[in-house]
Amino acid sequence: MTMVSEPVDTSCVPGCGKECSGQGCKMGKCEDSSAEGETEKPAPAKAETKKAEGNAAFQAKNFEEATRLYGEAIALAEAAGEPVPGVYFSNRAVCLASLNDWEGARSDAAQALSCKDLTPAATKKALFQKSRAESRLLLVEELEATLRLADSLGLRAEVERLLGSDLPTKTQVDARADARKEAQAQAEASPVPQPASQAKEAGTARYRDGDYRGAITHYRQAMDLAPADDAGLRAQLLGNIAAACLMLKKAAECATACEESLALDSSNSKVRARLASAQVARGDFAAARATVGEVNGEDSALTNALKQIGSTEATLAEADQALSKGEPAKALNMYANLECSVLFDYPPLTLKMAHCYLDLRQYPRVLNTTQQILRSNPTSIDALLLRTQALYRNHNATADSKQWVEPLEQGQRLLKEALSLDPDHSEAQALRKRLRSLCTKHAELKELMDSREFEQGQAVIDSMLELCQDHPVLMASLYAERAKACMRLKDWRGVIKDVGQATYRNHSLVQPYLYRAQALQALERHEDAVKELESLLSWHQVESVYHKLEEAKFLLRKHKRRNYYEVLGVPSVASQLEIKKAYRERAAEWHPDKKSHLDEASKKNAEEMFKCIGEAYEVLTDPTKKELYEKGYDLEGINEQIELKKRRTNGCCGGRPGGGCC
């Protein structure tokens, strides 16, 4: 935020009807239009938004920014073809008064009074701003006219009470009259060129409307038209150009204009304050303090500038401390506020924000930020190093993909460039060595896996894991690759262990869950395998996982089904004669009539066994059912498949006996 004068405090009047702060009555504060009780059609939403932003800037004592925002609000309301609320002009008048721009404050207060939507409280505020400006400008006749207007509205006593010591004394009136006579004599002796004056006024009008580029154009035209020997006018125009450049956040151009202005008139404290603002914007606090110099309490512009320098340094130090303490979110918020308001041309601040993004794992933003820095400064070693770290930490390719080494190789190229600028940079050296080692070992791992030397591949993965302990996602992909090697070795417990390590570090990986389901099936933990795949399908709903789940459910039913060959006591290659013979023997042995002498539990068990023997015989002697049984179906599944086949047949033939397909 730019450095401007403090507002002049005022005393509260009886019947003000508003709460007063420690800095004076709210008659000197910017108000919301809702408080004014508007009766006209509301201003456009965009204009109201700008007005609210202006209020916030005013509360932060950023009066130049508030003036700009109120000007934009006025322009938006006019562009929409709606009446401009008087509070817009009234609020801008307060800001201009705080900047000691009494002509502007008087003009805006007059505009506010011409609006029909002001309440008595708002009217009183506008009358006070207009009369105070006229008092400061010693416009005695105009001041008296304003006070007569206040008298006609029954507000003169309150306005005069607010003015207090601002009412001009007789001595001041006489001095003003003498000054007018002297100015008139000087004007007659050496008149200011009319074109230059017109261009200057046009620039000022553009500035108040928030068109700062247009204002600069008019001010430069005025510079071209002004006499070369008129140092005062040229210094004033350069100061105005500097103010517009500062609003456009062009710190270098602002500083140049300020230096040229001060070379013509070194006594202008406002221009010195603007130069200090430009120097602070570029992070040169020492130069800003030297520009401000020794300040007495009477010069509000320089006093304000010195306060801003101190507060900016303190905020920057607090943000640096938060970052060093591991609070990147807090630090980033403070850095962002500084960048928007004060340090808008300070490249080291952008680097600090990139550090915050890195700690917050917002790697794409780090890459974008460092790219912007390197475009303006290709030799920034810190930006090269940060970009490499973002590439490394944003690495999420699987270890068996060809893209695994691409970000690491790109990082090595960046670090090579950094080391060409500073060969002794220890951090760049260490990181480059690590990335190069990872790439070399990855090539070795691929060769071992392709040649089916899985145990040696596991050893290489272990050495790679040691190199990336600070990168959980990269470690997860390596553990997943290690689990795949365990599968090739049929080390099912090793698979489960490595998958646990992988999913702990990166739960979004899919393949490790499939590896674990396969390992559980190999260990005949079919229920656990089904649960694993059900959990995976709940958040990764793809067809391949669904089919894996159906297959796991089938294997679970197969695992739970009765072994009919064991029930009959025959081998799986037994002939039909052998099956029938075994059935007769087993049925006779377990017939319930032969178990009538046993207790109830034994009888029930015999009945179940006899029933099971019958199921075994039914399935193994029916060619269709036996074929389905050999495929893994249990009795329920066999019946389902047979019923499905019947429905398909009936659906095709239309259910007509002997009928053909339609």
Side-chain angles (χ1 to χ4, degrees):
M1 63 188 74
T2 50
M3 303 169 193
V4 295
S5 308
E6 295 277 30
V8 178
D9 293 340
T10 57
S11 302
C12 183
V13 298
C16 171
K18 297 188 177 290
E19 250 180 72
C20 297
S21 66
Q23 293 183 340
C25 176
K26 286 189 181 280
M27 289 292 290
K29 300 292 183 182
C30 294
E31 300 180 4
D32 290 330
S33 57
S34 59
E36 299 287 354
E38 295 175 4
T39 58
E40 298 288 338
K41 186 175 180 179
K46 290 184 178 179
E48 281 295 293
T49 301
K50 288 293 181 184
K51 194 256 311 184
E53 292 175 1
N55 290 352
F58 182 89
Q59 294 300 326
K61 297 187 182 298
N62 192 351
F63 304 119
E64 291 192 3
E65 178 70 6
T67 301
R68 179 184 71 81
L69 290 167
Y70 290 137
E72 291 182 6
I74 292 169
L76 287 169
E78 290 174 343
E82 302 292 346
V84 180
V87 70
Y88 289 12
F89 293 108
S90 178
N91 284 0
R92 190 168 68 173
V94 176
C95 295
L96 293 171
S98 299
L99 293 168
N100 294 326
D101 183 356
W102 302 111
E103 288 285 1
R106 177 172 179 263
S107 174
D108 275 352
Q111 280 279 69
L113 289 169
S114 68
C115 296
K116 299 178 180 179
D117 64 337
L118 294 184
T119 62
T123 302
K124 180 173 65 176
K125 182 177 76 172
L127 287 168
F128 163 65
Q129 295 296 345
K130 185 172 185 293
S131 58
R132 182 171 65 160
E134 290 165 347
S135 175
R136 294 295 179 92
L137 295 169
L138 295 177
L139 302 176
V140 182
E141 294 84 356
E142 292 84 348
L143 172 60
E144 184 56 37
T146 301
L147 292 175
R148 283 198 299 271
L149 174 61
D151 189 37
S152 68
L153 298 172
L155 297 171
R156 176 163 184 157
E158 294 187 20
V159 171
E160 287 182 344
R161 187 185 296 275
L162 286 170
L163 286 171
S165 60
D166 275 324
L167 283 170
T169 62
K170 185 177 184 306
T171 303
Q172 290 174 322
V173 172
D174 294 340
R176 175 61 175 173
D178 293 341
R180 280 183 174 177
K181 291 179 182 178
E182 184 179 351
Q184 185 176 0
Q186 289 179 353
E188 292 172 356
S190 56
V192 176
Q194 188 67 18
S197 176
Q198 290 177 345
K200 176 177 176 293
E201 291 300 323
T204 302
R206 290 293 184 92
Y207 184 94
R208 289 177 181 169
D209 290 339
D211 181 8
Y212 304 115
R213 289 182 174 83
I216 291 173
T217 300
H218 285 291
Y219 288 143
R220 292 199 183 280
Q221 288 175 354
M223 285 285 292
D224 294 337
L225 295 169
D229 58 349
D230 192 343
L233 177 59
R234 299 181 72 84
Q236 186 180 10
L237 289 169
L238 286 166
N240 291 353
I241 291 171
C245 288
L246 194 61
M247 299 308 294
L248 291 171
K249 297 186 176 181
K250 296 181 177 181
E253 295 180 24
C254 174
T256 300
C258 287
E259 289 167 356
E260 292 177 4
S261 176
L262 291 171
L264 297 171
D265 180 9
S266 61
S267 64
N268 193 322
S269 61
K270 285 187 179 180
V271 175
R272 284 172 60 195
R274 288 188 191 121
L275 177 57
S277 292
Q279 291 165 334
V280 168
R282 302 168 77 178
D284 194 348
F285 298 106
R289 289 187 182 278
T291 297
V292 173
E294 295 293 331
V295 179
N296 56 46
E298 297 178 0
D299 195 322
S300 59
L302 293 179
T303 301
N304 223 21
L306 195 59
K307 287 180 181 178
Q308 288 288 2
I309 295 170
S311 65
T312 303
E313 284 183 307
T315 304
L316 185 61
E318 185 181 353
D320 290 342
Q321 188 177 15
L323 180 59
S324 64
K325 286 183 175 180
E327 299 176 340
K330 177 182 177 182
L332 179 61
N333 183 54
M334 299 175 76
Y335 288 142
N337 289 335
L338 287 171
E339 183 186 45
C340 292
S341 58
V342 186
L343 299 174
F344 47 81
D345 192 14
Y346 184 43
L349 185 67
T350 310
L351 270 174
K352 293 173 187 289
M353 294 175 70
H355 273 290
C356 294
Y357 292 136
L358 188 69
D359 290 349
L360 291 169
R361 300 182 182 179
Q362 297 180 13
Y363 305 124
R365 299 199 70 171
V366 180
L367 296 173
N368 183 53
T369 304
T370 52
Q371 185 179 41
Q372 293 176 4
I373 295 171
L374 291 170
R375 281 176 181 169
S376 59
N377 181 17
T379 61
S380 174
I381 295 176
D382 289 336
L384 290 167
L385 188 58
L386 268 175
R387 188 169 181 80
T388 301
Q389 290 174 335
L391 287 168
Y392 166 64
R393 297 191 189 183
N394 196 40
H395 189 302
N396 56 10
T398 57
D400 58 352
S401 68
K402 295 180 180 179
Q403 294 77 23
W404 197 87
V405 297
E406 289 180 0
L408 305 184
E409 290 175 344
Q410 187 179 350
Q412 288 184 72
R413 290 193 293 270
L414 292 171
L415 292 172
K416 181 180 179 181
E417 186 176 348
L419 289 170
S420 69
L421 299 169
D422 182 6
D424 298 325
H425 199 290
S426 58
E427 188 175 356
Q429 288 176 343
L431 184 54
R432 188 184 181 207
K433 180 180 178 181
R434 183 148 58 111
L435 298 185
R436 187 167 52 203
S437 179
L438 282 170
C439 290
T440 302
K441 289 182 181 297
H442 183 266
E444 183 182 350
L445 172 63
K446 187 178 185 304
E447 184 178 349
L448 290 171
M449 295 293 282
D450 290 344
S451 60
R452 303 186 65 80
E453 298 179 22
F454 302 119
E455 290 184 351
Q456 295 181 41
Q458 287 179 322
V460 172
I461 292 174
D462 290 341
S463 63
M464 294 174 73
L465 287 168
E466 291 295 325
L467 292 171
C468 55
Q469 293 292 314
D470 60 341
H471 195 331
V473 175
L474 196 60
M475 291 181 72
S477 71
L478 291 172
Y479 272 116
E481 190 69 7
R482 199 177 191 283
K484 185 166 73 172
C486 289
M487 286 183 60
R488 300 291 188 270
L489 294 169
K490 298 189 184 303
D491 179 9
W492 306 116
R493 299 190 184 282
V495 172
I496 294 172
K497 179 181 177 181
D498 286 340
V499 167
Q501 293 287 350
T503 55
Y504 172 75
R505 289 169 173 80
N506 184 5
H507 62 81
S508 64
L509 292 176
V510 173
Q511 197 61 41
Y513 293 100
L514 299 175
Y515 291 159
R516 182 155 58 192
Q518 187 175 342
L520 291 169
Q521 289 169 351
L523 294 171
E524 296 190 350
R525 294 169 55 183
H526 296 283
E527 290 186 359
D528 291 337
V530 169
K531 291 178 181 178
E532 182 80 7
L533 292 169
E534 285 177 339
S535 174
L536 175 60
L537 186 63
S538 67
W539 59 270
H540 187 67
Q541 298 177 0
V542 297
E543 187 176 359
S544 60
V545 175
Y546 172 78
H547 289 316
K548 288 285 186 183
L549 175 59
E550 290 300 307
E551 181 184 344
K553 289 179 178 179
F554 177 79
L555 292 174
L556 174 60
R557 291 171 67 174
K558 180 180 178 181
H559 178 69
K560 288 183 174 181
R561 71 177 183 172
R562 288 289 188 104
N563 188 327
Y564 289 150
Y565 291 106
E566 290 183 359
V567 169
L568 296 179
V570 296
S572 59
V573 294
S575 65
Q576 289 294 307
L577 289 175
E578 290 173 329
I579 291 172
K580 290 178 181 180
K581 179 182 177 182
Y583 166 69
R584 286 193 294 269
E585 291 175 354
R586 297 288 284 171
E589 178 185 354
W590 288 94
H591 196 283
D593 291 346
K594 292 185 177 182
K595 306 294 183 180
S596 59
H597 62 285
L598 299 176
D599 56 38
E600 289 300 321
S602 298
K603 286 180 183 180
K604 188 173 182 179
N605 181 54
E607 290 173 359
E608 290 291 332
M609 188 63 183
F610 185 75
K611 181 180 178 182
C612 186
I613 291 169
E615 290 176 359
Y617 178 74
E618 178 187 353
V619 170
L620 296 180
T621 55
D622 185 314
T624 301
K625 292 182 178 181
K626 183 179 180 183
E627 181 183 0
L628 292 169
Y629 178 78
E630 296 295 346
K631 289 181 178 179
Y633 289 96
D634 59 2
L635 182 60
E636 183 181 353
I638 291 170
N639 293 331
E640 287 175 356
Q641 291 298 312
I642 292 173
E643 183 63 28
L644 181 61
K645 185 176 180 180
K646 287 181 180 178
R647 286 202 300 270
R648 288 174 179 169
T649 303
N650 291 337
C652 177
C653 299
R656 297 190 300 274
C661 296
C662 298

